[in-house]
Amino acid sequence: MRQAILNLEESKIREVANAGMGRVDVLPFWFGESDEGTPEVVRAAAIASLQAGETFYSHNLGLPELRQAVADYASRLHGPVAMERIAITSDGVNALMLAMQALIDAGDEVVAVTPVWPNLTAQPVILGARLRCVALQPEADGAWTLDLPALLAAITPQTRLLVVNAPNNPTGWTLSRDEQQAILARCRETGTWILSDEVYERLYYAGDTAQGAAPSFLDIADAHDRLVVVQSFSKAFLMTGWRLGWLTMPAAMTPQMGKLLEFNTSCAPVFVQRAALTALEQTESITPRIVAHLKGCRDTLVPLLQAIAGVQTSAAPGGMYAFLRIAGHRDSLQLAKRLVAEAGLGLAPGIAFGPEAEGWLRWCFASKDRGRLVLGVQRLERWLAAQDQ
């Protein structure tokens, strides 16, 4: 096999989860998904599609009616987005890889803002790119911020692609409008493409946009800008297991993306696309409720964590995670494994998201029952108390 593949590290989140799989006494908060199932109306649409015999191939770019619905949805949030700019993909991970396959040659320079979900930094390496990372910085209160001058300086005419995820997994950091404008202006100067992972855009609690979404590059970019935005049905519609996403790109790219889709997955399953179409039709009855519930989960968990001596964390403006650090514990993988074994608490180790996040833990607060969050904090408190004895 290629050395780049042999050098890939296995998921450290999975390493921790595997240590606790099958244990009914473990509270799992390690994966980035809610424990609440997909809304019934969405599931019913998929069942109806299957019963109607829609088990055949569809267009590489997705059902035309779904592409139009996605374009309409994006237009409501960000201003006019034409259907010709949309491609439906077999999940957000597939969308990210397709975009990188379309834009990166071996040896190209890619700049990524980290810490970040490891797929975004592994994919350029798989394709033979040269990866450079610009790290977010933790503040004393546990919030993470961007060193904007450092990022702008890192983007040069040699930078083929900038990869940014905001709201960010794992930190919850979210780009401000001013930061986006500065980044876009710099990338226009250097001819650098922007790949913006915005799968958490609706999980936004700051309330400083009228659309009910985090600031997006689509709000400020022109349709022909070198910008590709990745989205997913997973988070805002509780559809993680359905594996469906989409790309928004310059219209001239779309036919070429259709070719790449043919050689990757051919197309997304029709019954999954029918479910997504219903999800978009029912957005106003689905997504605001999910966001309000998640905000309540965040506001339940974070103050309890902040009340524990030695725990550093902040209420992030976006995403579905509390990112925390416990004084005296530097090895996050070892700590996460100990918490599983000794406290029955399953968290993701920060090192899984890059060396910048070593010593931190990610706690997914997307819990249908907020009482599970309280119980998890109690387990953490008891474990910490036992360490002091």
Side-chain angles (χ1 to χ4, degrees):
M1 295 185 69
R2 293 171 52 222
Q3 194 61 44
I5 308 305
L6 295 174
N7 290 344
L8 289 175
E9 293 187 357
E10 295 184 10
S11 168
K12 291 182 173 62
I13 303 173
R14 285 282 182 182
E15 186 175 341
V16 173
N18 289 343
M21 286 291 186
R23 282 186 51 184
V24 296
D25 61 326
V26 174
L27 289 173
F29 302 106
W30 38 51
F31 293 143
E33 64 178 350
S34 174
D35 59 0
E36 181 179 354
T38 305
E40 183 177 357
V41 66
V42 177
R43 287 180 277 138
I47 293 169
S49 175
L50 287 169
Q51 290 178 333
E54 292 188 317
T55 58
F56 301 96
Y57 297 130
S58 70
H59 195 289
N60 295 136
L61 293 169
L63 295 173
E65 55 266 48
L66 178 57
R67 293 176 65 206
Q68 186 61 61
V70 166
D72 293 343
Y73 172 79
S75 296
R76 291 193 298 272
L77 293 175
H78 307 300
V81 175
M83 167 185 161
E84 290 73 23
R85 298 177 61 193
I86 302 296
I88 305 301
T89 65
S90 296
D91 69 38
V93 184
N94 177 229
L96 288 163
M97 183 57 97
L98 285 164
M100 294 197 195
Q101 288 175 347
L103 296 174
I104 297 174
D105 279 322
D108 281 345
E109 180 181 275
V110 175
V111 172
V113 178
T114 55
V116 73
W117 186 50
N119 291 47
L120 277 76
T121 50
Q123 288 174 335
V125 173
I126 290 171
L127 294 172
R130 294 180 294 110
L131 180 67
R132 296 177 59 201
C133 297
V134 176
L136 301 171
Q137 301 297 321
E139 301 293 322
D141 63 355
W144 290 68
T145 59
L146 173 66
D147 184 341
L148 182 61
L151 177 61
L152 298 180
I155 301 168
T156 73
Q158 286 70 51
T159 307
R160 174 64 174 172
L161 181 67
L162 169 67
V163 179
V164 60
N165 164 229
N168 173 260
N169 173 12
T171 68
W173 161 79
T174 302
L175 276 167
S176 69
R177 177 68 72 232
D178 288 345
E179 289 170 332
Q180 285 180 329
Q181 289 173 333
I183 292 168
L184 180 60
R186 178 60 177 162
C187 288
R188 284 170 172 169
E189 291 175 1
T190 60
T192 299
W193 282 86
I194 300 171
L195 178 55
S196 183
D197 177 355
E198 300 183 5
V199 301
Y200 294 95
E201 71 161 354
R202 297 301 302 275
L203 308 189
Y204 184 63
Y205 319 111
D208 55 3
T209 62
Q211 304 99 320
S216 169
F217 280 102
L218 292 173
D219 298 329
I220 59 173
D222 296 330
H224 62 270
D225 271 316
R226 292 187 171 191
L227 170 68
V228 178
V229 175
V230 170
Q231 263 289 4
S232 169
F233 286 91
S234 291
K235 312 303 181 181
F237 299 100
L238 301 178
M239 295 178 67
T240 52
W242 297 76
R243 314 315 297 141
L244 198 70
W246 72 87
L247 287 162
T248 306
M249 69 200 102
M253 280 185 67
T254 308
Q256 311 306 319
M257 192 61 70
K259 292 190 297 187
L260 266 182
L261 276 155
E262 171 64 27
F263 297 129
N264 277 267
T265 58
S266 293
C267 58
V270 173
F271 72 92
V272 176
Q273 295 188 65
R274 294 291 185 203
L277 187 59
T278 295
L280 291 174
E281 292 169 351
Q282 300 294 323
T283 298
E284 294 310 311
S285 63
I286 294 175
T287 301
R289 180 195 65 79
I290 292 170
V291 175
H293 177 74
L294 290 177
K295 183 178 184 298
C297 290
R298 182 198 68 166
D299 294 346
T300 296
L301 175 63
V302 171
L304 293 174
L305 292 173
Q306 291 174 329
I308 302 174
V311 172
Q312 179 186 16
T313 190
S314 176
M320 56 200 303
Y321 310 108
F323 207 48
L324 62 138
R325 179 161 58 181
I326 302 174
H329 294 273
R330 179 61 185 167
D331 187 329
S332 61
L333 181 59
Q334 180 191 55
L335 175 58
K337 288 182 174 181
R338 288 191 64 190
L339 287 172
V340 168
E342 300 169 18
L345 180 63
L347 306 180
I351 190 61
F353 306 94
E356 305 88 351
E358 178 59 296
W360 294 74
L361 297 166
R362 191 194 70 176
W363 185 319
C364 180
F365 55 67
S367 180
K368 185 177 181 180
D369 177 9
R370 295 179 197 171
R372 293 178 68 251
L373 301 172
V374 176
L375 180 57
V377 173
Q378 291 171 347
R379 292 187 179 188
L380 177 60
E381 285 183 301
R382 286 197 297 269
W383 185 83
L384 289 171
Q387 307 312 301
D388 294 334
Q389 293 177 358

